[in-house]
Amino acid sequence: MRPVKILCVGILFLGLMATNSSDAASPAKEQYKIGVCLALTGPLAALGDPELKGAKLAVEVINEKGGVHGRLIELIIEDDAGKPELSVVKGSKLITKDEVLGIFGGTTGDACMAIASIAEKKKIPFISPTGFGGDEIQRGYKYNFLCIPDYDDAVEAIIKYAKAEFKCNRFGLLRLTRFWGVQASRAFHKFKNKYGIEVVREETCADGDKDFTPQLTNIKAAEPCAICIWASAPAAQIAIKNARHLGISVPLLGNVVFASKKTPEIAGEAAEGVIAAATMIWTDPLPRQQEYVERFTRKYGMPPDMWDAMGYDGIMLFTKAIGSLPEAKVNRENIRGALEKIPIYEGASAIFKYSQLRWPIAESWIMISIKEGKFYRIPFKW
Amino acid sequence: MGIGEGEMTRSQILQFVISGITQGSIYAMVALGFTIIFRTTRIVNFAQGDFVMFGAMLVATLHNLFHISLLPSILLSILIVAMIGGAMEITMIYPLKGVGIFPLVMITLGASIIFNSSSLLIWGVDPLHLKGFSGDNPIRFYGATLMPQTLWIVGAIVCVAVALFSFFRYTKIGQAMLACSMNDEAAASVGINVRMMVLSSFILSAALGGLGGVLIVPITMVMFDMGVLMTLKGFAAAILGGLGSAPGAVVGGIVLGLAESLSCGIVSSGYRDSITLFVLILVLLVRPSGILGSRFIKR
């Protein structure tokens, strides 16, 4: 009787083990846990949701090949709704309770800074798809790495392009009142002398605004030869429409928000010919991005954009860092060190040279435009 | 430059006024929704903006996704939103009758959160859009431009305001609704079906919200979280005009819209919201009952 019982328990135990790690390469090894803290609900879910999709795709790609050091990657997912106060709570939970090796997250600049500060204190590597980039405090952080190239570089790209293509040196600027907009404004002023340009009129707007005609009317009156719209979605798209309806015919310049899949659809004809700095465009990907675009489209049945590409790159960078370490030495501190030594990683979104810079290099920015409702890359030399 | 400085400014100001009236009409539409429910129940319905969001979402979905032609989509959207309003009253307001006004106001706040989240689940996070009813070619005059959709919005708000004003003043049902807000027991004792009046006020105000949403989507697009801001601006407009007054709601909305666009255009876009709120406080200090405040506000 007794041996049978033991056998039964044994089989049951084995069965449980098997279900626990049914698709594991080697069931004995524990998984590498990476924390993800993004805005999955709330208004910023429009960015957080694709970021998570990209991260999940990266995990799928890595685990298909058997993971790293024979261990699978597991994501512990938390939702901070884009609110920094929640980011602190969720980030701390990931660090202390889930004991993750690193965190990917921070959908907004504020959320990113909130996590970055605790990551710094708790000494845990943190890769974020956003961030202030140019922020002095963040520049001093040792544990925070960014997936998005510096927006100052984007502004420089825009100015450079406008100067070269239509000899423009009088810019109008419609920007957000919050930090992201301020950053754009500062960048324009920073490059004033270098490129001999001036901002003839600067106007501000807020995230939820629905009408930008007063601001654009004033900008129009100052007679700029190009207008830069630095706003979030759908504000940027409404502003594009407003500008065209006001009869503004000068080129409209923008950032990653213009590159949203929805721009041609919701801004319609008004979106024709807008120019923006982005890192990836699915209708016209760079050779290094082609495979990612195909894979993403196959998995989700929809085309990718730069936000999910950043989610993908974030997890890939962690995996690269872990892979470069001997298995016994995989810990938070060493992963940070390994990230810092990555010489070059040509990702789905950008080109990373973390050994030189904690965010992707300026050359990651590409210039895009819309023709007949379709995005395409426009030739641009740095 | 062929155009003189003075003329330039005039066309600019005209543009600010047009922009202000367009935005103001939208606020007025929400404020009118507040008015109807407040006049019948004295509840401030914080889910009013979500009716607008639903109307906008529905019309964009029906027209763009299901390819139903414009007029039926509009009518169907308004009908569905009216039903949502009715369902809200039946499931959330009626079962709690007798608890007083304040808990019910909190319930509407909860309803707003539910509506917001369900919209996120149904439509996702991307904004939806609809073409203007009469195309998207701006009309130009005196150096300013006007979207044909603006005419639709302003026309609709005028019609609705006149209709509502007459409804409350001259029809039996309108008077009965009014009676319910003053004293529901007395109203019941003279044979008014208070229950039906409350239900119809929710249906009517939801339908109005739906109409507002349908009208504004070509101009502002719609996202799942649009309702919150709509409620806020509409509420401010209603307070400004005098809560409970239909003409007040319209005037309040237009004044708010003009204050926003003029302060944004003439003073500074950075101070827009502070100036707008300053106007609101100023008006309320001078006239606590709002510009066209009714005798209802006695606090």
Side-chain angles (χ1 to χ4, degrees), chain A residues 297-338:
Chain A
T297 315
R298 207 163 358 121
K299 181 170 163 73
Y300 294 108
M302 58 193 243
D305 61 23
M306 57 174 287
W307 308 107
D308 48 64
M310 286 195 284
Y312 180 86
D313 283 342
I315 303 301
M316 279 299 177
L317 285 160
F318 269 128
T319 316
K320 270 198 179 307
I322 296 171
S324 71
L325 295 166
E327 196 181 346
K329 289 204 166 171
V330 173
N331 62 35
R332 289 172 180 176
E333 191 58 48
N334 288 342
I335 292 174
R336 184 196 73 83

Side-chain angles (χ1 to χ4, degrees), chain A residues 22-183:
Chain A
S22 49
D23 51 339
S26 55
K29 283 184 174 178
E30 208 187 312
Q31 301 185 333
Y32 287 129
K33 285 191 282 188
I34 297 173
V36 173
C37 183
L38 294 164
L40 302 175
T41 53
L44 287 148
L47 304 179
D49 180 56
E51 282 159 2
L52 179 65
K53 279 198 170 81
K56 280 182 170 167
L57 179 63
V59 172
E60 191 183 286
V61 170
I62 297 157
N63 287 353
E64 225 168 53
K65 291 177 190 153
V68 206
H69 302 313
R71 296 186 192 212
L72 298 183
I73 299 288
E74 187 196 355
L75 296 183
I76 313 282
I77 299 156
E78 288 293 343
D79 171 23
D80 66 9
K83 295 176 182 154
E85 64 274 21
L86 272 178
S87 315
V88 173
V89 178
K90 302 282 170 110
S92 308
K93 184 224 161 213
L94 288 170
I95 297 169
T96 48
K97 183 163 172 281
D98 299 317
E99 297 178 334
V100 295
L101 287 169
I103 297 177
F104 173 80
T107 303
T108 60
D110 304 334
C112 167
M113 286 303 268
I115 305 174
S117 69
I118 46 170
E120 202 66 19
K121 260 181 244 152
K122 305 265 182 180
K123 300 193 188 307
I124 181 165
F126 168 52
I127 300 182
S128 55
T130 179
F132 293 148
D135 185 85
E136 287 301 320
I137 302 167
Q138 203 176 16
R139 273 174 200 260
Y141 281 173
K142 283 197 174 64
Y143 291 82
N144 186 197
F145 298 84
L146 306 187
C147 269
I148 187 133
D150 195 343
Y151 279 114
D152 283 11
D153 296 334
V155 171
E156 189 172 2
I158 289 168
I159 295 172
K160 229 173 160 169
Y161 182 82
K163 267 207 80 121
E165 281 303 306
F166 23 85
K167 315 252 170 303
C168 181
N169 52 9
R170 292 167 57 82
F171 289 86
L173 176 62
L174 173 65
R175 63 160 178 93
L176 286 173
T177 37
R178 66 177 158 94
F179 193 90
W180 196 37
V182 177
Q183 196 188 348

Side-chain angles (χ1 to χ4, degrees), chain B:
Chain B
M1 274 182 277
I3 312 161
E5 196 64 26
E7 199 176 337
M8 199 74 179
T9 315
R10 214 176 307 144
S11 69
Q12 268 174 264
I13 290 176
L14 182 62
Q15 190 68 59
F16 301 150
V17 171
I18 291 173
S19 159
I21 289 176
T22 311
Q23 291 295 308
S25 305
I26 298 170
Y27 302 156
M29 199 68 97
V30 188
L32 277 175
F34 273 112
T35 306
I36 296 171
I37 292 183
F38 184 81
R39 287 199 85 143
T40 315
T41 63
R42 314 213 52 186
I43 295 172
V44 175
N45 174 25
F46 280 109
Q48 190 60 39
D50 296 283
F51 293 150
V52 178
M53 177 271 297
F54 274 132
M57 282 288 192
L58 282 166
V59 75
T61 312
L62 291 174
H63 189 62
N64 294 347
L65 201 67
F66 296 112
H67 303 291
I68 300 170
S69 49
L70 193 61
L71 190 64
S73 317
I74 292 173
L75 296 176
L76 198 57
S77 309
I78 296 173
L79 187 72
I80 297 173
V81 180
M83 279 164 27
I84 295 173
M88 177 183 166
E89 199 276 341
I90 292 168
T91 55
M92 299 179 204
I93 306 295
Y94 181 64
L96 284 157
K97 66 172 182 158
V99 296
I101 299 297
F102 191 67
L104 287 176
V105 172
M106 294 311 290
I107 295 277
T108 66
L109 210 59
S112 163
I113 294 169
I114 294 173
F115 291 153
N116 210 323
S117 323
S118 13
S119 172
L120 177 63
L121 288 175
I122 300 169
W123 285 285
V125 289
D126 287 323
L128 296 186
H129 176 60
L130 187 72
K131 279 204 163 58
F133 296 175
S134 320
D136 282 328
N137 290 324
I139 304 160
R140 287 172 210 284
F141 64 101
Y142 297 112
T145 59
L146 174 73
M147 293 305 292
Q149 192 65 24
T150 300
L151 298 176
W152 279 101
I153 295 177
V154 175
I157 193 76
V158 170
C159 294
V160 166
V162 170
L164 271 184
F165 184 72
S166 337
F167 174 73
F168 278 125
R169 177 142 294 188
Y170 302 113
T171 69
K172 265 224 159 93
I173 305 177
Q175 293 281 309
M177 281 186 166
L178 213 57
C180 294
S181 80
M182 289 166 152
N183 188 332
D184 54 350
E185 275 175 32
S189 70
V190 295
I192 294 169
N193 188 340
V194 176
R195 161 83 179 115
M196 281 319 287
M197 289 302 124
V198 173
L199 182 59
S200 19
S201 78
F202 269 86
I203 292 173
L204 191 60
S205 117
L208 208 60
L211 173 67
V214 163
L215 288 167
I216 64 169
V217 61
I219 287 196
T220 65
M221 308 181 190
V222 53
M223 246 173 107
F224 74 98
D225 63 343
M226 175 211 232
V228 182
L229 205 75
M230 279 292 143
T231 304
L232 224 85
K233 295 281 169 83
F235 184 57
I239 293 280
L240 191 62
L243 195 58
S245 150
V250 178
V251 172
I254 305 279
V255 169
L256 190 69
L258 282 174
E260 273 191 5
S261 85
L262 287 174
S263 62
C264 179
I266 295 170
V267 189
S268 154
S269 42
Y271 292 109
R272 191 187 64 172
D273 287 341
S274 11
I275 292 174
T276 310
L277 287 173
F278 180 71
V279 169
L280 183 67
I281 292 169
L282 208 67
V283 168
L284 292 181
L285 279 176
V286 180
R287 274 188 71 93
S289 55
I291 300 172
L292 296 178
S294 63
R295 54 203 177 279
F296 286 96
I297 311 287
K298 289 198 200 107
R299 268 149 234 213

Side-chain angles (χ1 to χ4, degrees), chain A residues 217-331:
Chain A
T217 303
N218 283 335
I219 292 176
K220 184 188 172 191
E223 297 180 335
C225 50
I227 298 173
C228 179
I229 298 173
W230 204 273
S232 51
Q237 283 82 3
I238 300 175
I240 292 173
K241 284 183 74 175
N242 286 166
R244 293 306 182 216
H245 291 157
L246 283 173
I248 292 173
S249 53
V250 297
L252 299 180
L253 312 168
N255 55 33
V256 294
V257 177
F258 277 22
S260 150
K261 280 176 226 173
K262 288 272 169 178
T263 303
E265 192 188 316
I266 57 184
E269 271 175 39
E272 290 288 304
V274 296
I275 294 156
T279 58
M280 190 262 248
I281 205 76
W282 75 99
T283 47
D284 194 2
L286 290 164
R288 66 176 153 90
Q289 296 165 332
Q290 234 140 24
E291 200 191 325
Y292 172 75
V293 172
E294 276 162 29
R295 182 102 203 218
F296 188 95
T297 315
R298 207 163 358 121
K299 181 170 163 73
Y300 294 108
M302 58 193 243
D305 61 23
M306 57 174 287
W307 308 107
D308 48 64
M310 286 195 284
Y312 180 86
D313 283 342
I315 303 301
M316 279 299 177
L317 285 160
F318 269 128
T319 316
K320 270 198 179 307
I322 296 171
S324 71
L325 295 166
E327 196 181 346
K329 289 204 166 171
V330 173
N331 62 35

